[in-house]
Amino acid sequence: MHPQVVQTAPGTCPICAMDLVPVTKTGGKVADRSAVAIMLSESQMQLANVTVQPVSAGSISNATVLNARLAANQEQTEVISSRVSGRIERLVVKESGQFVRKGQVLYEIYSEQLLTDQQEYLVALQQENELKEPRYEQFRKAAEQKLRLSGMTPDQIRQLARTRKVQLRIPFVAPAGGTVTEVAASEGQYVSEGALLYRLVNLGQLWVEADLYAGESNYIKVGDQVGVEVVGSEERLNLTARVAFINPEYRTGSQVLTMRALLANPGGKFQPGQQARVFIRHGIQRGVTLPTDAVVRAGDGAVVFIQTGTGTFQPRKVEIGTETDQRVAIKKGLIGTEKVAMSGAYLLYSEMILKKGINPITAKIDEEDVQTAPNQKKAPVAKQAASPNVQQTPDAFKKQLTLVYEASLKLTEALIRSDARQAQTAAGGAEKAISSVDMNLLSGATHQEWMKHESTMNAALKIIRTTNNLEKQRTAFAGFEDELYHSVKAFGITDKPAYRQYCPMAQNNKGGYWLSDQKIIRNPYFGEAMLSCGETKEVIQ
């Protein structure tokens, strides 16, 4: 049964339906751990949709999604050309798109060369039968071989030997089965030897062609199996293809490589030209994993809520690792024996701040008990790179970063309209803009600084591009915008004003920033619901 929804008045807490009153937030060391516990009754847990499950160990990996297309396997394409010169008397197969079987008649041709060859064969055959000498047998075999090389089948030659009558119009058959993709001849046309007549392709196996950007080419190699989803197909990730080729050279004027994988296509249910997606798994991490909704993130860290008793929860700081749109790996903070609030964590977080006046992320409440999860190694702490000097950033790099900023505006606009599908497309466009940035224009500390920003922005954009959950897209958008802001501040952009705007109610009242090219406030975190909520914090010239 679904829990009954209780309507609360504005300004009241959805968990306890009590009036909220302002409190003073505290930080620093909290001595009494019970002071940061949240206690809920069974009905309150139902209303807040708080569900608890034991922590589980498993593996998790990142998934890079590539836009792809299906194409005919050129290695299984058959080109049918005329074996002899002559006139096409009849086309049996006249249209492209038809499926033909091996041995099926394609056309009939009148050829003086074939008439002469048939007559030579009949003469040699008669001499062999009458004179009974070995040399005439050799003449007959040579004449028969000549007919074979001209395209006559063994059955046609046996019929010629049986009837002893020359055929004026010789039917030519398909040397292999497949789908006709081109008909290059017409009835009555005179063709020369070697002229193209048909193209056939075997659609039993297709190519899946995708574009790999510079940062993605390290995740895959020839021979790997990748997941494939054909757009419009009922089969989702059940399809797999084997990587057969990765172009070793970038496409001219870009940082893009072409990847080609082989996809089985029994029954020809897929057709060349269909759009597809390729899923590349990488960064596999083993250990404790949780649903993404179980982890509350903020700029200073992340926490989960541990059940310490019936209806009682305490926050636990954790260090997160590899993350997908559904699960996240916990590198430090859990040992795998705890029971964790798998949903409703954000409500518990808000309740702690509102009722206790304690921010569980900034308060030092459990550093002594933080443990490393099994099979995880503590990640090295990266040294903070020195901030680059904007004046010393090459103009070419600024122009490329400007294109990234412009691409981000399309993503912001999609979220303003609350259009998750358009946000996915815009995130892909921003990824392309980032991949086109030439980091070799920078050196030393500036080079390292950009690599850090680039990696974080791409991670956030990947989440936006691979989920149609608008709330998750906006959460990832906040992280992307923070890194974009630091990049713009560090390196600068050209002839583009950037307004850094802020909404204090975004992300469950944690606040959220974004960059805009307009002074007017248009909120990407709430869209039409609270379009003008926010203020301009900084103008970057």
Side-chain angles (χ1 to χ4, degrees):
M1 295 179 60
H2 296 289
Q4 182 180 3
V5 177
V6 177
Q7 300 292 335
T8 60
T12 61
C13 171
I15 297 180
C16 56
M18 295 176 58
D19 291 337
L20 303 180
V21 296
V23 295
T24 302
K25 297 180 181 180
T26 64
K29 183 73 174 180
V30 179
D32 184 2
R33 300 178 61 79
S34 64
V36 294
I38 293 292
M39 298 186 65
L40 303 177
S41 66
E42 183 178 351
S43 61
Q44 288 173 335
M45 290 181 63
Q46 291 179 347
L47 290 172
N49 192 29
V50 177
T51 59
V52 179
Q53 292 181 7
V55 171
S56 62
S59 62
I60 190 172
S61 64
N62 290 317
T64 296
V65 183
L66 307 177
N67 292 322
R69 60 207 162 270
L70 302 185
N73 186 343
Q74 298 301 323
E75 295 178 350
Q76 298 191 14
T77 298
E78 189 81 23
V79 176
I80 300 177
S81 58
S82 178
R83 295 288 190 91
V84 294
S85 59
R87 184 177 65 250
I88 303 295
E89 295 292 333
R90 185 168 77 100
L91 285 179
V92 178
V93 177
K94 300 180 179 181
E95 299 177 352
S96 60
Q98 290 184 257
F99 177 79
V100 298
R101 302 179 306 278
K102 181 178 180 180
Q104 180 178 336
V105 176
L106 298 177
Y107 64 96
E108 293 179 358
I109 190 170
Y110 168 81
S111 171
E112 293 184 0
Q113 175 187 338
L114 270 177
L115 287 175
T116 302
D117 292 343
Q118 289 180 82
Q119 290 170 348
E120 288 182 359
Y121 173 75
L122 292 176
V123 170
L125 180 61
Q126 182 178 359
Q127 290 176 338
E128 180 187 13
N129 293 335
E130 292 178 353
L131 301 177
K132 306 295 184 181
E133 293 185 12
R135 60 174 179 167
Y136 292 110
E137 181 183 1
Q138 296 299 321
F139 292 158
R140 192 266 305 166
K141 289 183 177 179
E144 181 177 338
Q145 181 66 15
K146 194 173 182 181
L147 291 176
R148 289 179 182 270
L149 293 176
S150 296
M152 291 186 67
T153 65
D155 287 342
Q156 290 171 338
I157 296 174
R158 283 192 292 269
Q159 181 182 357
L160 176 62
R162 184 175 64 255
T163 62
R164 303 295 176 98
K165 291 183 179 180
V166 174
Q167 295 176 269
L168 298 180
R169 296 165 55 168
I170 302 298
F172 277 77
V173 300
T179 301
V180 178
T181 59
E182 182 181 357
V183 180
S186 57
E187 290 182 353
Q189 178 183 353
Y190 185 86
V191 296
S192 59
E193 183 178 349
L196 173 66
L197 301 180
Y198 294 94
R199 289 186 191 273
L200 300 180
V201 62
N202 185 350
L203 299 182
Q205 186 182 70
L206 297 177
W207 280 347
V208 183
E209 294 182 333
D211 294 334
L212 282 174
Y213 294 99
E216 298 168 337
S217 59
N218 296 327
Y219 300 150
I220 194 167
K221 64 183 182 299
V222 173
D224 286 351
Q225 296 286 332
V226 295
V228 176
E229 176 185 308
V230 179
V231 176
S233 170
E234 295 181 356
E235 296 187 55
R236 306 296 291 177
L237 293 180
N238 296 327
L239 300 174
T240 59
R242 179 178 59 84
V243 178
F245 173 76
I246 299 177
N247 196 326
E249 296 183 359
Y250 288 112
R251 189 179 301 164
T252 304
S254 71
Q255 293 292 309
V256 175
L257 299 172
T258 298
M259 183 208 74
R260 186 178 298 145
L262 300 178
L263 175 67
N265 185 30
K269 55 187 173 182
F270 303 128
Q271 299 296 321
Q274 283 187 272
Q275 297 299 307
R277 299 186 185 93
V278 172
F279 298 83
I280 301 176
R281 301 289 179 181
H282 58 90
I284 298 176
Q285 197 169 5
R286 294 176 174 81
V288 173
T289 66
L290 295 175
T292 53
D293 291 341
V295 183
V296 180
R297 303 163 186 78
D300 298 321
V303 297
V304 299
F305 284 85
I306 307 297
Q307 186 181 47
T308 57
T310 303
T312 304
F313 298 88
Q314 285 186 343
R316 174 81 62 81
K317 288 184 182 179
V318 294
E319 184 178 334
I320 62 177
T322 300
E323 183 174 2
T324 68
D325 60 335
Q326 296 182 341
R327 298 193 71 81
V328 58
I330 304 300
K331 297 170 63 177
K332 183 179 180 181
L334 298 175
I335 61 174
T337 60
E338 301 89 344
K339 291 185 177 181
V340 173
M342 299 297 180
S343 63
Y346 276 100
L347 288 176
L348 293 172
Y349 173 81
S350 301
E351 181 75 352
M352 176 161 289
I353 293 177
L354 293 170
K355 292 183 66 177
K356 299 285 187 176
I358 295 174
N359 186 330
I361 292 180
T362 58
K364 299 179 181 179
I365 54 178
D366 58 357
E367 290 181 350
E368 309 87 7
D369 297 333
V370 171
Q371 302 180 53
T372 301
N375 301 322
Q376 301 291 335
K377 295 182 179 180
K378 185 175 180 180
V381 179
K383 295 182 178 180
Q384 179 67 33
S387 298
N389 189 328
V390 174
Q391 301 299 326
Q392 297 176 355
T393 302
D395 289 341
F397 188 88
K398 290 183 181 180
K399 290 179 181 179
Q400 294 171 357
L401 184 58
T402 301
L403 296 178
V404 177
Y405 168 57
E406 291 174 344
S408 77
L409 298 178
K410 296 180 180 180
L411 175 58
T412 304
E413 185 64 29
L415 294 177
I416 290 172
R417 295 197 301 268
S418 298
D419 189 335
R421 186 177 297 275
Q422 187 59 37
Q424 289 177 309
T425 301
E431 284 181 314
K432 291 182 180 178
I434 292 174
S435 70
S436 298
V437 174
D438 186 1
M439 67 176 68
N440 293 323
L441 293 171
L442 306 175
S443 60
T446 57
H447 184 91
Q448 297 297 323
E449 180 78 358
W450 167 250
M451 288 183 65
K452 181 187 72 172
H453 294 316
E454 177 192 37
S455 175
T456 306
M457 285 191 290
N458 277 329
L461 289 170
K462 181 194 66 178
I463 295 174
I464 299 173
R465 179 167 51 83
T466 56
T467 181
N468 57 7
N469 185 306
L470 197 58
E471 182 179 351
K472 292 180 180 179
Q473 286 181 336
R474 283 169 167 156
T475 299
F477 173 76
F480 167 75
E481 285 291 319
D482 285 344
E483 290 299 322
L484 179 61
Y485 164 74
H486 291 302
S487 299
V488 171
K489 286 285 288 183
F491 303 106
I493 54 179
T494 60
D495 303 324
K496 292 283 182 181
Y499 301 90
R500 194 186 194 205
Q501 298 171 338
Y502 175 73
C503 172
M505 299 179 66
Q507 301 189 87
N508 292 317
N509 296 319
K510 295 197 296 289
Y513 289 89
W514 72 95
L515 293 179
S516 174
D517 60 347
Q518 303 178 31
K519 292 183 179 180
I520 186 173
I521 299 295
R522 300 175 71 240
N523 193 316
Y525 293 99
F526 293 102
E528 291 293 335
M530 299 176 62
L531 186 61
S532 59
C533 176
E535 60 179 325
T536 297
K537 290 289 190 180
E538 182 180 354
V539 180
I540 306 172
Q541 299 290 350

